[in-house]
Amino acid sequence: MTSQADFLQPPRPAVWLVNLFTSAEEAESIRGDLLEEYFHLMSKSGVAFARNWYWRQTVKTIAHLVGGWIPCRSLVDHCRRSRRIFTAEVRLRVARAGNICSSSQISGFRTSFQRLCILCDEWDCDRTRHRVDVRWVYRRLGGQEKGDGCYDDARSGPWRIGGSAMLAWVARTGDASSLWMLPWYFADSVAIVIGGAIVRTRRSAAMLRRSNA
Amino acid sequence: MSGRDYLGEFEHIIVLALLRLDDRAYGVTVRQEIEFRTNREVSIGAVYATLDRLETKGFVKSHRGDPTPERGGRSKRFFRVTAKGVAAVNRTQRALQRMTEGLDLIRTYS
C-alpha cells in the first residue's frame, strides 16, 4: 500500500525512467532540477498537478535524450506505421464491441485490416497478429471461446495480461510449444530497458570524451 | 567562417537566457526564464541536451555547485557563456538583422 509520504514524492516509475536513460552525472543534475521544481509546484498547485507535471517532463526529457542518436526520420516512419496498426485495431474493436457491423461487413473489414497490415513492415504485422492470437487464448481461459479465430478481441486487455494468460495456459495444459511467442508480448518493456541502457552508455561515453578534450 | 558558427534557434534562446541569468544559471532557472519570456513549455531534457551540445562546441562552460536539501542532496550544475559563445550570439544576431533589414514584417504579414 502506498503511504502518505510516498504519495508526496515524485512518481517512482518516472524517477526510474529518468535514471535509466541518463548517465550518473547527468541524473544528478536532471533529477535534482526535477525534484526542486516538483516540490515548488506541489506547494503551489497541489500533488496531482505536480505529479502530472513530473510525468510530462520525464516523457519529454527521455524523448530528447533518445532523439540525439535515433535518426528523426526512422522515428517518424515508425510512428506512422504504429498509427496505421492502431487505427485498424481500434476500428475493429469498435465494430465488434458495439455489434454495429454485419458479418459480411466484418469479413470485408478483415480484408482491409489485412491490407493495412501489408502496408506495415513484417515486424509490426507479425507482432499485431501475435497480440490478437494471445487475446484469443485469454478469452478461451475465461470460458468465452467463440471459435471464430484470432480477430475476436472485443474484450482484449493489455499485452501483459495476454502474456500472463499465455503462461497460465502453458502451465495448465503443459503444452509449451507456444512459449516462443512470449518475447513479442513483453517486447515493449524489454525494448525500453535495452534502449535506456544504450542511451545511457552513449551519453556517458560522450561526456567522458568531452571532459578529456 | 562556416555555417556551424551560427547558433540554432533554441541554442540562441538558451545562450540569451544564460546571459540574462548570469551566475544564477542552472537547469531550473534557465527553463523558467525561457518559459516566462517565450510562453513556451520547455522540458528539462531539451535544456540539458542543448547545453551539452553548446558545451561540446565550446560556447558554454559548466561547474557543479554545492548539494542543497530542497534537491534531495543533489548539486546544481551552473552554466556560463564563454567568450566564444558571446561571439557566436553576436554573429547570429547580426545575421538575423541583416536578413530582416528592409522587411516591413509587421505590416506585410500581419
Side-chain angles (χ1 to χ4, degrees):
Chain A
M1 207 174 85
T2 312
S3 68
Q4 178 73 13
D6 273 351
F7 185 67
L8 295 179
Q9 293 297 316
R12 276 190 189 179
V15 174
W16 178 78
L17 277 172
V18 171
N19 276 340
L20 183 69
F21 280 85
T22 48
S23 63
E25 200 185 331
E26 275 179 327
E28 165 109 4
S29 36
I30 291 180
R31 272 186 64 188
D33 285 352
L34 286 173
L35 201 66
E36 186 180 331
E37 281 208 80
Y38 172 80
F39 285 127
H40 175 69
L41 279 174
M42 198 171 71
S43 58
K44 209 174 78 176
S45 313
V47 182
F49 182 85
R51 286 174 80 87
N52 191 10
W53 174 87
Y54 199 99
W55 265 116
R56 244 187 5 253
Q57 284 289 324
T58 301
V59 171
K60 285 182 177 179
T61 294
I62 290 170
H64 272 98
L65 297 178
V66 173
W69 63 274
I70 290 186
C72 205
R73 165 60 62 188
S74 74
L75 265 182
V76 170
D77 285 349
H78 183 73
C79 288
R80 281 188 186 144
R81 278 199 301 272
S82 304
R83 198 177 58 191
R84 280 200 295 264
I85 288 276
F86 179 75
T87 312
E89 282 204 34
V90 166
R91 282 176 57 201
L92 187 67
R93 278 187 206 187
V94 168
R96 294 296 259 167
N99 288 327
I100 52 171
C101 288
S102 66
S103 296
S104 61
Q105 280 174 312
I106 286 179
S107 63
F109 184 76
R110 279 183 194 169
T111 315
S112 67
F113 177 68
Q114 283 155 358
R115 212 176 291 139
L116 272 165
C117 283
I118 290 164
L119 290 176
C120 308
D121 67 20
E122 201 176 308
W123 191 83
D124 279 338
C125 205
D126 280 353
R127 202 163 176 224
T128 306
R129 284 188 197 130
H130 291 161
R131 277 167 67 185
V132 179
D133 280 345
V134 92
R135 287 173 192 158
W136 176 70
V137 173
Y138 180 60
R139 284 177 64 81
R140 284 186 66 179
L141 279 173
Q144 297 161 349
E145 183 187 359
K146 292 218 175 143
D148 65 344
C150 62
Y151 291 107
D152 188 14
D153 66 339
R155 277 214 215 164
S156 57
W159 295 11
R160 280 143 205 85
I161 295 175
S164 312
M166 172 69 81
L167 278 175
W169 171 260
V170 170
R172 211 161 98 172
T173 61
D175 174 17
S177 61
S178 19
L179 270 184
W180 65 272
M181 283 160 65
L182 270 180
W184 293 106
Y185 309 125
F186 295 99
D188 277 1
S189 318
V190 174
I192 286 172
V193 174
I194 294 175
I198 294 171
V199 171
R200 195 176 52 217
T201 311
R202 281 176 176 246
R203 291 187 70 81
S204 299
M207 285 186 96
L208 197 68
R209 272 201 304 275
R210 207 164 46 230
S211 59
N212 286 343
Chain B
M1 190 171 67
S2 74
R4 284 173 189 275
D5 292 331
Y6 291 111
L7 298 170
E9 186 227 3
F10 196 57
E11 288 178 342
H12 196 177
I13 289 175
I14 292 245
V15 175
L16 290 175
L18 294 186
L19 289 170
R20 284 190 162 277
L21 292 162
D22 200 20
D23 58 351
R24 291 178 296 115
Y26 68 102
V28 174
T29 51
V30 171
R31 207 189 71 76
Q32 287 175 344
E33 180 76 9
I34 295 171
E35 274 194 3
F36 173 69
R37 295 206 177 261
T38 63
N39 284 328
R40 157 178 172 179
E41 194 179 333
V42 178
S43 78
I44 204 80
V47 170
Y48 274 103
T50 310
L51 283 168
D52 282 345
R53 202 165 54 240
L54 289 168
E55 197 169 15
T56 311
K57 290 176 183 173
F59 294 156
V60 302
K61 265 187 170 176
S62 69
H63 70 274
R64 292 227 160 258
D66 295 325
T68 53
E70 73 268 18
R71 297 167 58 87
R74 293 178 187 86
S75 58
K76 292 174 183 171
R77 188 172 160 202
F78 287 98
F79 292 89
R80 201 168 49 83
V81 184
T82 60
K84 199 178 164 188
V86 175
V89 177
N90 283 331
R91 247 191 326 270
T92 309
Q93 292 275 101
R94 274 201 300 273
L96 284 174
Q97 266 168 10
R98 277 198 299 272
M99 289 304 293
T100 49
E101 233 168 43
L103 290 177
D104 195 355
L105 289 172
I106 296 169
R107 202 165 355 148
T108 313
Y109 297 105
S110 63

